[in-house]
Amino acid sequence: MVQVFEGKDRKRHGSLFEKIFRARYETFVVNRCWSLPARNGLEIDQYDTDQAVYFVDFDEGGHLQGAVRLTPTVSASLTADYYPHLSDGGTALRDPFVYEGTRYIASPKDKTPVNNRVVKARILGAMTEWAWAFGIRHIQTVIDAPLLRSFQKVNSQTFALGAAHPYGGGKGVRGGGTCLAIRLPVTERAIGEIRSYGALEASPAPEPYSYQPAAQQLRDVA
């Protein structure tokens, strides 16, 4: 079961959020050498607001094997704030029907190709089904440019907003490389493709609700 929390749940679920922030620190600061705000082994930034939505997947042993954060782009968009140059076509990076996915982790304890696919599908599937249920049309994010094909294998409708550009440090620098801004359409087709990619048990896609800026209560997504 992938659990879904809002940022406003941090006080009630302090230990869980600590696991999320610690996993982010290990993944992005220690392993990827990103220059991010961190303290006491926790990575927390200005986008960890009450309106942020967190998708977290723990295995049976309590290992955090998948996670991603969604934020409403109208108020919290890393792409709009730091990477507007990644959009070549003048696409509005802030839109009430677009949420932004950041701090994506897919790291099963037993890192086999099958387990990697399942975890990736579980976390991206939960995120996409939640977005579908709340009337969100696209999820945008910034990725390492070489990863575009891997995202298109999960959701074939994924597209880049523009050409690839170097990260601040550029290629060859710790934490550097090239990046792309992409959008993942939120559609029934996408939900089906994600389930197929991870060989997940199919279930009817949830009917879309009228758009709301964020979920109003804690929810679990299968």
Side-chain angles (χ1 to χ4, degrees):
M1 184 72 73
V2 176
Q3 295 179 292
V4 186
F5 298 90
E6 289 185 79
K8 65 184 180 183
D9 296 314
R10 280 172 65 176
K11 287 186 178 179
R12 287 193 298 139
H13 301 282
S15 61
L16 181 141
F17 274 85
E18 182 175 332
K19 289 181 180 180
I20 295 172
F21 299 144
R22 194 170 300 282
R24 283 173 23 180
Y25 175 81
E26 292 292 330
T27 300
F28 301 111
V29 178
V30 176
N31 296 334
R32 301 204 60 183
C33 302
W34 287 4
S35 178
L36 298 172
R39 187 170 63 178
N40 299 326
L42 306 177
E43 189 276 304
I44 305 171
D45 67 15
Q46 69 268 38
Y47 301 108
D48 290 305
T49 66
D50 284 354
Q51 291 73 41
V53 185
Y54 301 82
F55 300 80
V56 194
D57 187 11
F58 290 99
D59 66 18
E60 294 180 355
H63 169 71
L64 190 154
Q65 60 181 357
V68 70
R69 174 183 65 191
L70 279 187
T71 55
T73 58
V74 291
S75 60
S77 170
L78 182 144
T79 308
D81 291 342
Y82 294 98
Y83 297 97
H85 56 286
L86 296 181
S87 176
D88 290 347
T91 301
L93 297 176
R94 298 188 188 274
D95 185 308
F97 296 100
V98 178
Y99 264 47
E100 188 155 288
T102 49
R103 300 301 189 262
Y104 165 67
I105 297 172
S107 182
K109 201 165 188 178
D110 184 10
K111 294 179 175 61
T112 66
V114 171
N115 288 344
N116 289 341
R117 288 172 69 96
V118 169
V119 170
K120 189 173 184 179
R122 282 167 58 85
I123 206 70
L124 294 181
M127 176 185 74
T128 305
E129 292 190 29
W130 181 93
W132 170 260
F134 285 96
I136 297 164
R137 297 171 185 165
H138 289 90
I139 295 168
Q140 75 182 19
T141 188
V142 174
I143 63 169
D144 291 347
L147 295 180
L148 176 60
R149 282 192 175 185
S150 70
F151 276 88
Q152 289 174 331
K153 286 181 180 179
V154 185
N155 178 349
S156 66
Q157 297 170 287
T158 300
F159 61 94
L161 295 178
H165 288 264
Y167 281 110
K171 187 176 181 180
V173 176
R174 287 168 63 85
T178 56
C179 55
L180 281 172
I182 65 171
R183 279 195 175 168
L184 296 78
V186 177
T187 63
E188 288 187 87
R189 172 180 165 184
I191 292 170
E193 287 182 347
I194 294 168
R195 289 175 178 156
S196 177
Y197 175 86
L200 304 180
E201 182 178 352
S203 60
E207 291 297 320
Y209 296 88
S210 298
Y211 174 76
Q212 298 179 48
Q216 298 304 305
Q217 58 185 357
L218 177 65
R219 303 181 63 200
D220 285 342
V221 179

Coordinates of all heavy atoms in Angstrom, one line a residue, residues 3 9 16 39-40 60 63 69 79 82 93 95 100 127 137-139 147 155 159 163 186 211 215:
Q3 N 1.1 5.0 0.9 CA 0.4 6.0 1.7 C 0.6 7.4 1.2 O 1.6 7.7 0.7 CB 1.0 5.9 3.1 CG 0.7 4.5 3.8 CD 1.3 4.5 5.2 OE1 2.5 4.5 5.4 NE2 0.5 4.5 6.2
D9 N 0.2 17.3 7.7 CA 0.2 16.1 8.6 C 1.5 15.9 9.3 O 1.7 14.9 10.0 CB -0.1 14.8 7.7 CG -1.5 14.8 7.1 OD1 -2.4 15.2 7.8 OD2 -1.6 14.5 5.9
L16 N 7.3 9.5 10.6 CA 7.3 9.1 9.2 C 7.9 10.2 8.3 O 8.7 9.8 7.4 CB 5.8 8.9 8.8 CG 5.6 8.5 7.3 CD1 4.5 7.5 7.2 CD2 5.2 9.7 6.4
R39 N 20.2 19.4 7.3 CA 20.7 19.6 8.7 C 20.3 18.3 9.4 O 19.2 17.8 9.3 CB 20.0 20.8 9.3 CG 20.6 21.1 10.7 CD 20.1 22.5 11.2 NE 18.7 22.5 11.4 CZ 18.0 23.5 11.9 NH1 18.7 24.6 12.2 NH2 16.7 23.5 12.1
N40 N 21.3 17.8 10.2 CA 21.1 16.6 11.0 C 20.7 15.4 10.2 O 19.9 14.6 10.7 CB 20.1 16.9 12.1 CG 20.5 18.0 13.1 OD1 21.7 18.2 13.4 ND2 19.6 18.8 13.6
E60 N 7.7 -4.5 3.5 CA 7.2 -5.2 4.7 C 8.1 -5.0 5.9 O 7.7 -5.1 7.1 CB 7.0 -6.7 4.4 CG 5.8 -6.9 3.5 CD 5.6 -8.4 3.2 OE1 6.5 -9.2 3.7 OE2 4.7 -8.7 2.5
H63 N 11.4 -0.6 5.2 CA 12.3 0.2 4.4 C 11.5 1.1 3.4 O 10.6 0.6 2.7 CB 13.2 -0.8 3.6 CG 14.0 -0.1 2.5 ND1 15.1 0.7 2.8 CD2 13.9 -0.1 1.1 CE1 15.6 1.2 1.7 NE2 14.9 0.7 0.7
R69 N 7.1 13.8 -4.0 CA 6.4 14.9 -3.5 C 5.7 15.6 -4.6 O 6.3 15.9 -5.7 CB 7.4 15.9 -2.8 CG 6.7 17.1 -2.3 CD 7.8 18.1 -1.6 NE 8.7 18.5 -2.6 CZ 9.9 19.2 -2.3 NH1 10.1 19.4 -1.0 NH2 10.7 19.6 -3.2
T79 N 10.5 24.3 -11.0 CA 10.8 24.5 -12.4 C 10.6 26.0 -12.8 O 11.5 26.6 -13.4 CB 9.8 23.7 -13.3 OG1 9.9 22.3 -12.9 CG2 10.2 23.8 -14.8
Y82 N 13.5 28.1 -10.7 CA 14.9 27.9 -11.0 C 15.2 27.4 -12.4 O 16.4 27.6 -12.9 CB 15.5 26.9 -10.0 CG 15.5 27.4 -8.6 CD1 14.5 27.0 -7.7 CD2 16.5 28.2 -8.1 CE1 14.5 27.4 -6.4 CE2 16.5 28.7 -6.8 CZ 15.5 28.3 -6.0 OH 15.5 28.7 -4.7
L93 N 4.5 27.6 -16.8 CA 5.0 26.6 -15.8 C 4.1 26.6 -14.5 O 4.3 25.8 -13.7 CB 6.4 26.9 -15.5 CG 7.4 26.7 -16.7 CD1 8.8 27.1 -16.3 CD2 7.3 25.3 -17.3
D95 N 0.2 26.6 -13.3 CA -1.1 26.3 -13.9 C -1.9 25.6 -12.8 O -1.4 24.7 -12.2 CB -0.9 25.5 -15.1 CG -2.3 25.2 -15.9 OD1 -3.2 24.8 -15.2 OD2 -2.3 25.4 -17.1
E100 N 3.6 19.6 -9.6 CA 5.0 19.3 -9.9 C 5.5 18.2 -9.0 O 5.3 18.2 -7.8 CB 5.8 20.6 -9.6 CG 7.2 20.4 -10.1 CD 7.8 21.8 -10.4 OE1 7.5 22.3 -11.5 OE2 8.7 22.3 -9.7
M127 N 0.7 8.3 -7.6 CA 0.8 9.7 -7.9 C -0.2 10.0 -9.0 O -1.0 11.0 -8.9 CB 2.2 10.1 -8.2 CG 2.3 11.6 -8.6 SD 4.0 11.9 -9.2 CE 4.0 11.1 -10.8
R137 N -4.3 17.7 -14.7 CA -4.1 17.3 -16.1 C -2.7 16.9 -16.5 O -2.5 16.0 -17.3 CB -4.6 18.4 -17.1 CG -6.1 18.7 -16.9 CD -6.4 20.0 -17.7 NE -7.8 20.3 -17.5 CZ -8.3 21.5 -17.8 NH1 -7.6 22.4 -18.3 NH2 -9.6 21.8 -17.6
H138 N -1.7 17.5 -15.8 CA -0.3 17.1 -16.1 C 0.5 17.2 -14.8 O 0.1 17.9 -13.9 CB 0.3 18.1 -17.0 CG -0.1 18.0 -18.4 ND1 -1.2 18.7 -18.9 CD2 0.3 17.3 -19.5 CE1 -1.4 18.4 -20.2 NE2 -0.5 17.5 -20.6
I139 N 1.5 16.4 -14.7 CA 2.5 16.5 -13.7 C 3.8 16.8 -14.4 O 4.2 16.2 -15.3 CB 2.7 15.1 -12.9 CG1 1.4 14.8 -12.2 CG2 3.9 15.2 -12.0 CD1 1.3 13.4 -11.6
L147 N 17.3 10.3 -18.7 CA 16.2 9.5 -18.2 C 14.9 9.7 -18.9 O 13.9 9.0 -18.6 CB 16.0 9.9 -16.7 CG 17.1 9.5 -15.7 CD1 16.8 10.0 -14.3 CD2 17.5 8.0 -15.8
N155 N 5.1 5.9 -19.0 CA 4.0 6.7 -19.5 C 4.4 7.2 -20.9 O 5.2 8.2 -21.0 CB 3.7 7.8 -18.5 CG 2.5 8.7 -19.0 OD1 2.1 8.6 -20.1 ND2 2.1 9.6 -18.1
F159 N 6.4 14.0 -22.4 CA 7.0 14.8 -23.3 C 7.9 15.9 -22.7 O 7.6 16.3 -21.5 CB 6.0 15.5 -24.3 CG 5.0 16.4 -23.6 CD1 5.3 17.8 -23.5 CD2 3.9 15.9 -23.1 CE1 4.4 18.6 -22.9 CE2 2.9 16.8 -22.5 CZ 3.2 18.1 -22.4
A163 N 14.6 21.9 -24.9 CA 15.8 21.2 -25.0 C 16.5 21.0 -23.7 O 16.2 21.7 -22.7 CB 16.7 22.0 -26.0
V186 N -1.8 13.2 -17.3 CA -2.6 12.4 -16.3 C -3.9 11.9 -17.1 O -4.8 12.7 -17.2 CB -3.0 13.2 -15.1 CG1 -3.8 12.4 -14.1 CG2 -1.7 13.7 -14.4
Y211 N -11.9 19.7 -9.6 CA -10.6 20.1 -9.2 C -10.5 20.7 -7.8 O -11.3 21.6 -7.5 CB -9.9 21.0 -10.2 CG -8.6 21.5 -9.8 CD1 -7.5 20.7 -9.8 CD2 -8.5 22.8 -9.2 CE1 -6.2 21.1 -9.4 CE2 -7.2 23.2 -8.8 CZ -6.1 22.4 -8.8 OH -4.9 22.8 -8.4
A215 N -5.6 17.5 -1.8 CA -6.5 16.5 -1.1 C -6.8 17.1 0.2 O -6.0 17.7 0.9 CB -5.8 15.2 -1.0

